Amino acid sequence: MSLKIDNVSKRFGSHWVLRSISFEAENGSIIGVFGRKGSGKSTLLRVIAGLESADGGSMSLNDEATPLSPTDKRVGFVPNAPVSSFWHRTLSGNRFDTVDVADRQSEAIHEALESELQVVLLDDPFCFLDMRAKEEFYSELRRKVTASDATMIVTSNNIEDLYHLCDKIAILENGDISQFAAPEAVYEHPATVGVAEATGRINLFEARRLTSSKTELPEFQTISGEHRLFAQRTSLGNLGAINQNVMLAIRPEHISIAFGASFPEDNLLKASITRVRFLGPTTLIELDSGGLYLSALVLRLVGLKPGDECMVGLPPDRITILKQ
């Protein structure tokens, strides 16, 4: 039993906003939809709700193929109403009360969840909530969706909202879904450069492959800095041709900082610290390794400051080879 979206497309004039969107949302699950501004997140929800007509594809709810409509009692759509309210009040010179808007948005969501809806669509519901209110909301939404066995689809302009809340996340890129997977998979194993950039801080750098496609651990040489690095095992398709450059990626928290020696397979590079940024519970360290610029995220930086030299380790199993 589920909501199934099959090759749904939508265009405005000659511009295709959505191209052959397909995914399935099981009952009792929460699906996140994320993408850059203008990627079609709100449009997708409006098409599912029947507020916009699709220009191709089909939808089915619990194996019943049917076009949804604004009057369909099984589907509830809670729009991002505070945005239009904000501009209306600002342009008219009236006072804008974010607390009031957040309360009204929360009431609309609660009303939808307390009904007997089978599908609940929420368009960026967290934009006026502070962190503490969000944490409470995540737990409440999860509890009510599980209890009602409804399906919820949520968009957000903040990927961390979806990490906290969702069972799976669909990443919209160029009108299509580039990746549809659990939050951990989207973050740890992004399918494309676009997904990697959209889903959190990441180091991206171009490199060319040095070893045979049959080598257990592929070795690359970075274009900037000309460092030789081992990367994680991957499919032959991701490796690409040996005479073509690929993009390598590693999250800042996976880079280690050390003073001692190590083994070549640990991808140990000499670097200098160019900047240290305090981020509350963590510290972001910006590094220059012979022209290869990297960022490392640590809990606390001890004994090092800008201008100091250190060794950085890039574990091979944390270096992802991405499609460009």
Side-chain angles (χ1 to χ4, degrees):
M1 304 289 279
S2 62
L3 172 69
K4 186 174 182 180
I5 311 298
D6 188 21
N7 289 316
V8 166
S9 299
K10 175 64 182 177
R11 68 179 180 183
F12 293 108
S14 60
H15 176 59
W16 288 94
V17 180
L18 305 174
R19 294 176 180 271
S20 301
I21 298 293
S22 297
F23 67 92
E24 190 167 349
E26 298 292 334
N27 291 352
S29 68
I30 302 179
I31 303 300
V33 178
F34 184 77
R36 297 184 182 277
K37 184 177 180 181
S39 61
K41 301 186 296 294
S42 297
T43 300
L44 177 58
L45 290 197
R46 290 179 62 82
V47 168
I48 295 173
L51 297 169
E52 298 279 358
S53 59
D55 292 303
S58 63
M59 292 180 286
S60 63
L61 182 57
N62 296 333
D63 296 325
E64 179 187 343
T66 177
L68 304 179
S69 71
T71 59
D72 195 320
K73 301 300 183 181
R74 299 170 299 171
V75 181
F77 176 60
V78 181
N80 187 1
V83 174
S84 58
S85 175
F86 172 80
W87 288 112
H88 173 73
R89 295 189 183 194
T90 300
L91 293 173
S92 63
N94 295 332
R95 179 176 175 270
F96 178 68
D97 188 345
T98 57
V99 174
D100 175 61
V101 172
D103 286 345
R104 286 189 288 109
Q105 183 80 346
S106 179
E107 289 173 7
I109 294 169
H110 284 130
E111 183 179 344
L113 290 172
E114 288 167 4
S115 65
E116 296 183 358
L117 294 170
Q118 295 179 38
V119 178
V120 179
L121 307 170
L122 305 181
D123 191 12
D124 199 12
F126 310 111
C127 59
F128 282 93
L129 299 180
D130 59 38
M131 184 53 68
R132 182 173 179 179
K134 283 184 180 183
E135 292 285 353
E136 294 173 354
F137 217 9
Y138 298 148
S139 298
E140 186 174 3
L141 290 177
R142 166 56 62 191
R143 185 172 59 254
K144 289 192 173 182
V145 168
T146 301
S148 66
D149 203 33
T151 297
M152 179 179 287
I153 302 180
V154 186
T155 72
S156 178
N157 287 315
N158 184 347
I159 188 67
E160 292 188 8
D161 291 334
L162 305 184
Y163 288 152
H164 282 279
L165 181 64
C166 299
D167 298 293
K168 289 186 177 181
I169 301 175
I171 305 296
L172 287 181
E173 188 180 14
N174 300 321
D176 198 1
I177 294 180
S178 294
Q179 191 167 0
F180 181 61
E184 300 91 331
V186 167
Y187 185 81
E188 298 285 356
H189 306 287
T192 67
V193 171
V195 173
E197 291 177 321
T199 52
R201 285 193 181 92
I202 197 162
N203 296 286
L204 292 168
F205 44 93
E206 202 170 8
R208 59 179 174 270
R209 181 160 53 94
L210 300 176
T211 51
S212 163
S213 58
K214 297 180 180 180
T215 305
E216 185 175 4
L217 280 182
E219 187 178 14
F220 296 84
Q221 181 167 301
T222 65
I223 303 304
S224 297
E226 297 187 340
H227 300 290
R228 296 178 68 139
L229 301 174
F230 291 96
Q232 64 182 228
R233 298 176 183 86
T234 190
S235 65
L236 186 60
N238 275 357
L239 280 176
I242 197 165
N243 60 345
Q244 293 180 347
N245 294 344
V246 298
M247 194 68 74
L248 301 183
I250 184 169
R251 298 286 182 187
E253 65 270 23
H254 294 152
I255 294 180
S256 62
I257 296 179
F259 296 96
S262 186
F263 298 100
E265 57 266 30
D266 289 334
N267 292 329
L268 205 66
L269 309 179
K270 186 176 181 179
S272 59
I273 297 175
T274 59
R275 187 184 179 192
V276 175
R277 297 169 58 189
F278 174 73
L279 301 178
T282 59
T283 300
L284 189 69
I285 306 166
E286 296 180 8
L287 304 138
D288 179 3
S289 181
L292 177 64
Y293 296 98
L294 301 167
S295 294
L297 192 67
V298 299
L299 290 176
R300 188 175 63 162
L301 183 64
V302 178
L304 290 172
K305 61 184 183 302
D308 288 349
E309 292 189 343
C310 62
M311 303 300 290
V312 294
L314 284 67
D317 63 344
R318 294 296 192 176
I319 298 179
T320 303
I321 304 165
L322 296 177
K323 299 176 183 178
Q324 297 201 60

